[in-house]
Amino acid sequence: MIYLLLSILSSSIIFVVFKLFKRFEINTLQAIIVNYFIACAVGYFGFVEDANISEIPSKPWFYGTLILGLLFIIVFNLAAITTQRSGLSVVSVATKMSVAIPVLFGILYFNESAGILKIVGVVLALIAVYLSSIKANTGIAIKKKNLIYPILVFLGSGLIDTLIKFIESGYVNKTDVALFSSTIFSVAGTIGVLVLTFQGITGNLKITGRNIIGGIVLGIPNFFSIHFLVMALRNNGFDSSTIFTINNVAIVLVSTVLGIILFKEKLITKNWIGIVLAIISILLVANSGI
């Protein structure tokens, strides 16, 4: 449980950092790419022992990290497009409701329990995510021509969580968890550099120290959010469907509270209902296996 709590805390800190990006006018793409390398460095130099980099391609999970690294970049860019065309609320809902994909995968592929408490808890979790994410006078309104983008964000985010569970459970040894996490970020960062290189060739690139600092600040909690999630998934106390549900809903809950405390965000009635449902869903899902 401690690993799950640390993952939730790390992901919630990421929310705070992203909010500060807007305040300090930091280029999100550049900061994201820098963040991948920082996250890789934190994992490799802080948690990996006696690793030979030349042996990484021979690891059974290596090709999985290539797919995950590519997905990280793709989903990020899709999220950016969705934000521009349909708003931040739509991205938030699409990302967090994607928890349904790894939950369903865990139940069907790993034959995890699907009792009435868990089913009700997951349904309430999805409703809670929706209600907690919508903002006053905006709601969730998507033009038909833009519908494909939040759908792709939903599928991509769900696929990332599902692949992490699949690869972790079948191919990652306990001693390789940090190296596995670091390699994912390294791949994502390398692909990101190719994107920046293309921008530089086309004359649309301007790297600033502010963007680099933003990436450094983001990279530290980002590594721990993935690392601790993988460690939580390795714990036999909870099914992966339980872990993913609690993780996603708790992040929404904690992020909302931090938004109120740190950024004086105002909540509408639907948001408060979402918070209450989030708490109930966490209690139901956490106790579903007892």
Side-chain angles (χ1 to χ4, degrees), residues 186-226:
S186 175
V187 173
T190 301
I191 296 173
V193 168
L194 296 178
V195 174
L196 289 183
T197 301
F198 176 77
Q199 289 185 347
I201 294 173
T202 58
N204 296 319
L205 179 64
K206 182 181 180 181
I207 299 176
T208 67
R210 180 181 299 180
N211 298 333
I212 294 175
I213 292 174
I216 294 173
V217 174
L218 178 63
I220 298 173
N222 199 13
F223 168 78
F224 287 115
S225 68
I226 296 295

Side-chain angles (χ1 to χ4, degrees), residues 5 9 17 32-33 46 52 54 103 111 137 156 161-162 175 232 269 281:
L5 293 175
L9 177 61
V17 174
I32 283 282
I33 293 171
N52 187 337
S54 63
V103 166
N111 295 315
N137 302 321
D161 285 344
T162 302
T175 55
T269 302
S281 71

Side-chain angles (χ1 to χ4, degrees), residues 64-80:
T65 62
L66 297 181
I67 297 172
L68 284 168
L70 179 61
L71 282 172
F72 273 27
I73 290 291
I74 291 175
V75 172
F76 166 75
N77 281 285
L78 288 171

